[in-house]
DNA sequence: ATTAGGG
DNA sequence: CCCTAAT
């Protein structure tokens, strides 16, 4: 099937796990491995690196003023080399980089006639060039690349490129030159949503098609600097000249902070790429809707989505998705998802991508941190996501100290928009500012447990349940900007009146200095805060809203002017989605408002399931929720699912309106019963007869044995007479009555 | 349209 | 709740 296909396409000798087109769960789980194994590069290091570059550039550009292209060459080359050395010590790699830089120069000059901005950008990070180089030198490199991650990956990528190139060539009826197609393939890879078919007709054409207008847009975006994908890419900004083969390819500017891992993840995309091409026009509402779904907003460590501006002013989400690392079950918790929505009127551009990086705070100095190491935890920064990935398991020292280790720290997405005429230097500064704002803006730490904010600062860890290893795994942190006040927006009207946070026309018109999209506001953080808050309110459910409120008014938090907490593991914040004022909603199906099941509803559901079983949701619906229009059978099914889950987890871990234990018990009982008896006796138990199960209500074991007893009862046939525990029961019809421990009476 | 599962 | 695949 798909899987096979893909496998066939992939290059040999490629070790990196390819995400097979298998059940999501599987796919997801496959990737994880590597994420962590290739040693993560400290995000801060990256940032530092970036900063360094920026500074250097700044100096350089200031001294050399405008026309930076010339200087850039040298600078870039240098940077590249340094960069390379910094992350790798292998001569080979360095060599590789060197070549890369050389190549860069060449490339640059070649494209000198093109739009300068792009050209300049091109210099920044010789990622593309490298790839290009690699492409040519892949053979040599790959042959002896041995174990060097870098080397391997690169060569792999090259291979991949070639593969892709060929593929595309074919698809397009033959590409004129290899390099070109190769490049395009690369481009596509970077710009294309892995799982969507957003791009029109495959590489070349697609790129060409979009060229003209896109270039006009100031769409310089910085996708994410993700943990393993620490490259800043600047998609779009294509050259208006479609036929300039070379330039065209070059116009897809990508800034990449190369890094050991990035290739890895990037490469992964290749595997997904092959199946991507499909006409955009095919994308229907549903598609779009899907794209706007949290699922696709997830910008996890290795995941990044961003959308292309659309020439027609409409929204054309072209995103890319990367599977996240799911190292063990815990991984998903490490993944921070962030949603961003920008509501803007005029120009409809969707930016969903960002700048995020992860740093590994592998503080070996456990001593320094005392006994604090956060394991299996994550840090989430509101507005600016940052997450901490923890070690696999929580350690617990004898002295009952809780050991936590914050393994990684993810810095969020940063949206940057720069004018087409902005200088590279300013761009860098912009990035720098953004990063600085985030890191230096002052943050407040929040603690999450099971995704819920732990608000009481006075409680002890054990009281909070954080002393338990189990809970430790769900421990999370949030980094909330503490420097700004985020007054609750006057709008809490989720559906009908999405907040318009910014005016795109303005955004586009000028270059922004901060990640904030609303250039009208002076303070980036404020914007973030507002956005976050808004987003949350718009999206959140009641519970969340409540907790938010609580938090905002929580006096135990001195400077709790922080933003709303981000619900984990589904962290969503700062979602920015273009909103075309009017009819946007019709296009974008809104997520249904959340409507928590009331206890009575649960009761009805349980009742129905007890009688009908777990595989007849439609009947359940008809039977007990006929009038509840908002409850579909799918909802019921889902609810049951969650009920079962809820019943299984510790009461402590349960959230939302508490469901009576009694009901949960029944859930479990019914569930186990129906699990065994599948659909066998469908309808057989249709309420008839009277339950005659008797046991002393006051029997000491009644309560404790309740579940077991009940479970046993469910396994009995109607009319059966059996001994269960200390009881003798006569079952006339288990489902004709609600069976609970207390209903059991002794027949003896 | 339903069901079953993964997310 | 959403999304999909499979019925």
């Amino acid at each position: 099937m798909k899987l096979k296909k893909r496998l066939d396409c992939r290059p040999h000798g490629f070790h990196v796990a390819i995400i097979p087109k298998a059940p999501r769960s599987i796919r997801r789980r496959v990737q994880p491995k590597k994420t962590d194994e290739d040693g993560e590069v400290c995000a801060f290091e990256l940032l530092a690196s970036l900063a360094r570059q920026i500074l250097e550039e700044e100096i350089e550009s200031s001294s050399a003023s405008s026309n930076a292209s010339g200087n850039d060459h040298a600078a870039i080359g240098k940077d590249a080399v340094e960069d390379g050395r910094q992350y790798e010590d292998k001569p080979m790699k360095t060599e590789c980089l060197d070549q890369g830089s050389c190549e860069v120069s060449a490339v640059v000059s070649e494209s000198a006639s093109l739009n300068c901005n792009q050209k300049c950008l091109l210099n920044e990070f010789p990622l593309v060039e490298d790839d290009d180089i690699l492409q040519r030198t892949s053979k040599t490199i790959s042959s002896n690349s041995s174990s060097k991650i870098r080397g391997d990956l690169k060569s792999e990528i090259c291979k991949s490129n070639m593969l892709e190139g060929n593929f595309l060539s074919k698809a397009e009826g033959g590409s004129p030159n290899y390099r070109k197609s190769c490049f395009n393939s690369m481009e596509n890879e970077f710009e294309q949503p892995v799982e969507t078919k957003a791009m029109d007709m495959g590489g070349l054409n697609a790129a060409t098609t979009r060229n003209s207008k896109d270039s006009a847009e100031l769409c310089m975006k910085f996708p994410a600097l993700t943990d393993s994908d620490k490259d800043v890419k600047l998609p779009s900004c294509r050259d208006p000249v479609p036929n300039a083969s070379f330039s065209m390819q070059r116009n897809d500017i990508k800034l990449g902070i190369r890094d050991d891992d990035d290739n890895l993840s990037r490469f992964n995309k290749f595997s997904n790429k092959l199946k991507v091409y499909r006409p955009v026009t095919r994308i229907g509402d549903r598609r779009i809707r899907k794209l706007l779904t949290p699922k696709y907003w997830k910008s996890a460590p290795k995941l990044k989505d961003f959308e292309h501006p659309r020439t027609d002013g409409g929204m054309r989400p072209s995103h890319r998705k990367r599977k996240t690392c799911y190292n063990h079950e815990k991984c998903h918790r490490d993944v921070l998802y962030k949603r961003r929505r920008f509501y803007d009127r005029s120009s409809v551009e969707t930016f969903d991508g960002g700048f995020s990086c992860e740093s590994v705070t592998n503080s070996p100095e456990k001593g320094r941190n005392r006994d604090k190491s956060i394991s299996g935890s994550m840090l989430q920064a509101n507005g600016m996501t940052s997450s901490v990935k923890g070690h696999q398991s929580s350690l617990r020292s004898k002295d009952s100290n809780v050991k936590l280790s914050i393994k990684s720290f993810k810095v969020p997405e940063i949206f940057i928009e720069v004018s087409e005429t902005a200088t590279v230097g300013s761009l860098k500064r912009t990035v720098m500012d953004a990063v600085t704002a985030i890191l230096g803006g002052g943050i407040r730490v929040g603690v999450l447990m099971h995704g819920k904010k732990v608000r009481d600062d006075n409680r002890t860890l054990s009281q909070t349940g954080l002393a338990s290893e189990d809970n430790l795994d769900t421990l999370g942190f949030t980094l909330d900007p503490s420097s700004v006040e985020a007054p609750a927006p006057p709008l809490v009207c989720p559906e009908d009146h999405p907040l318009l946070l910014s005016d795109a026309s303005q955004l586009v018109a000028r270059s922004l200095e901060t990640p904030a999209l609303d250039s009208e506001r002076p303070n980036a953080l404020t914007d973030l805060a507002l956005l976050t808050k808004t987003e949350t309110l718009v999206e959140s459910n009641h519970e969340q809203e409540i907790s938010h409120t609580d938090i905002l008014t929580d006096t135990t938090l001195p400077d709790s002017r922080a933003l709303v907490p981000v619900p984990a593991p589904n962290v969503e914040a700062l979602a920015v989605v273009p909103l075309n004022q009017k009819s946007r909603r019709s296009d974008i199906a809104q997520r249904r408002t959340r409507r928590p099941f009331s206890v009575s509803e649960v009761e009805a559901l349980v009742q129905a399931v007890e009688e009908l079983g777990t595989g007849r949701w439609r009947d359940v619906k008809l039977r007990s929720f006929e009038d509840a229009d908002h409850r579909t059978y799918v909802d019921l099914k889902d609810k049951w699912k969650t009920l079962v889950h809820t019943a299984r987890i510790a009461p402590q871990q349960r959230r939302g309106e508490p469901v009576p234990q009694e009901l949960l018990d029944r859930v479990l009982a019914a569930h186990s019963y129906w699990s065994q008896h599948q659909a066998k006796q469908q309808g057989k138990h249709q309420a008839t007869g009277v339950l005659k199960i008797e046991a002393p209500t006051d029997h000491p074991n009644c309560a404790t044995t309740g579940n077991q007893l009940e479970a046993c009862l469910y396994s009995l046939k109607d009319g059966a007479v059996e001994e269960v525990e200390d009881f003798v029961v006569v079952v006339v019809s288990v489902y004709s009555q609600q069976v609970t421990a207390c209903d059991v009476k002794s027949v003896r």
Side-chain angles (χ1 to χ4, degrees), chain A residues 281-300:
Chain A
T281 50
R282 295 277 181 180
I283 301 175
D285 285 355
R286 184 152 185 173
R287 186 74 217 168
I288 292 177
R289 177 180 165 194
K290 178 179 179 184
L291 293 177
L292 293 175
T293 257
K295 170 180 172 186
Y296 283 76
W297 292 340
K298 291 174 183 174
S299 181

Side-chain angles (χ1 to χ4, degrees), chain A residues 127 139 307 675 694 697 700:
Chain A
L127 176 63
K139 281 183 181 176
E307 306 176 326
S675 302
E694 300 181 78
T697 313

Side-chain angles (χ1 to χ4, degrees), chain A residues 638-651:
Chain A
D638 286 343
K639 181 54 183 174
W640 181 261
K641 183 172 65 177
T642 63
L643 275 176
V644 171
H645 177 257
T646 302
R648 286 171 170 165
I649 62 178

Side-chain angles (χ1 to χ4, degrees), chain A residues 329-330 333 373-378 391-396 402-404 447-452 454 459-477 568 649-655:
Chain A
E329 34 169 38
K330 231 166 291 173
R333 278 187 228 110
S373 51
I374 293 154
S375 73
S377 66
M378 70 174 149
H391 282 301
Q392 287 319 312
S393 56
S394 22
L395 313 174
R396 188 99 186 257
V402 179
K403 288 193 174 185
L404 305 172
V447 176
L448 295 177
M449 195 170 96
H450 293 299
K452 231 177 179 179
V454 177
R459 279 203 290 173
T460 67
L461 292 187
S462 48
Q463 285 179 321
T464 310
L466 285 177
S468 144
E469 283 194 24
D470 294 344
N471 290 331
L472 262 187
D473 287 343
T474 69
L475 172 60
F477 295 91
I649 62 178
Q652 247 195 332
Q653 304 174 1
R654 294 171 191 163
R655 285 181 281 178

Side-chain angles (χ1 to χ4, degrees), chain A residues 95-344:
Chain A
E95 178 179 292
C96 196
L97 285 172
D98 277 325
Q99 286 184 39
S101 35
C102 289
E103 197 59 20
V104 177
S105 298
V107 171
V108 171
S109 54
E110 210 168 342
S111 58
S113 60
L114 299 176
N115 189 317
C116 65
N117 293 319
Q118 296 167 6
K119 175 180 58 187
C120 296
L121 290 172
L122 188 58
N123 298 327
E124 292 248 11
F125 306 101
L127 176 63
V128 176
E129 287 66 47
D130 272 351
D131 288 329
D132 191 35
I133 296 300
L134 284 168
Q135 174 182 312
R136 301 172 202 173
T137 58
S138 64
K139 281 183 181 176
T140 49
I141 295 177
S142 63
S143 58
N144 54 4
S145 58
S146 68
S147 61
K148 294 314 156 196
I149 293 179
R150 182 67 159 242
D152 277 351
L153 290 177
K154 283 191 172 179
S155 53
E156 288 302 341
I157 286 183
C158 289
K159 289 179 189 170
S160 153
N161 266 334
M162 298 177 73
L163 242 168
E164 190 64 2
N166 292 330
F167 176 78
L168 287 177
S169 294
K170 262 186 182 174
E172 293 160 14
S175 179
N177 81 48
Y178 171 78
R179 180 177 174 179
K180 183 175 182 174
S181 58
C182 211
F183 244 106
N184 273 307
S185 68
M186 284 296 285
E187 293 304 338
N188 286 323
E189 179 45 28
F190 291 134
E191 308 240 352
Q192 198 96 347
V194 168
E195 296 207 327
T196 68
K197 296 78 187 180
M199 201 161 258
D200 271 34
M201 26 246 159
L204 201 53
N205 287 332
T208 309
T209 308
R210 295 184 301 175
N211 270 346
S212 53
K213 295 183 181 177
D214 286 357
S215 64
E217 314 234 32
L218 321 174
C219 45
M220 208 170 270
K221 291 166 259 170
F222 275 80
L225 235 190
T226 21
D227 47 350
S228 70
D229 194 4
K230 289 133 186 148
D231 44 335
V232 179
K233 298 166 204 149
L234 292 187
S236 323
C237 290
R238 295 165 189 282
D239 190 274
V241 188
N243 282 325
S245 64
F246 182 77
S247 57
M248 179 175 77
Q249 307 151 22
R250 284 300 176 178
N251 281 327
D252 279 347
I253 301 170
K254 288 171 300 211
L255 297 191
I257 293 179
R258 33 185 25 309
D259 161 72
D260 346 49
D261 311 297
D262 68 350
N263 288 330
L264 189 62
S265 59
R266 206 175 292 136
F267 182 72
N268 278 323
K269 292 168 207 161
F270 284 98
S271 58
N272 294 320
K273 191 164 45 177
L274 299 182
K275 64 169 185 178
V276 167
Y277 311 106
R278 232 185 258 175
V280 173
T281 50
R282 295 277 181 180
I283 301 175
D285 285 355
R286 184 152 185 173
R287 186 74 217 168
I288 292 177
R289 177 180 165 194
K290 178 179 179 184
L291 293 177
L292 293 175
T293 257
K295 170 180 172 186
Y296 283 76
W297 292 340
K298 291 174 183 174
S299 181
K302 311 221 157 203
L303 236 175
K304 180 184 316 124
D305 312 341
F306 55 84
E307 306 176 326
H308 293 294
R310 190 161 163 188
T311 57
D312 61 7
M315 179 163 59
R316 176 214 205 152
S318 163
H319 78 282
R320 162 151 123 263
K321 170 181 181 182
R322 239 177 301 149
K323 291 301 180 178
T324 9
C325 66
Y326 274 78
N327 244 352
H328 293 62
E329 34 169 38
K330 231 166 291 173
C331 267
H332 73 284
R333 278 187 228 110
D334 302 333
V335 178
L336 265 214
Y337 292 152
K338 198 154 231 208
R339 252 202 283 192
R340 306 200 166 185
R341 297 187 157 177
F342 283 24
Y343 293 94
D344 63 63

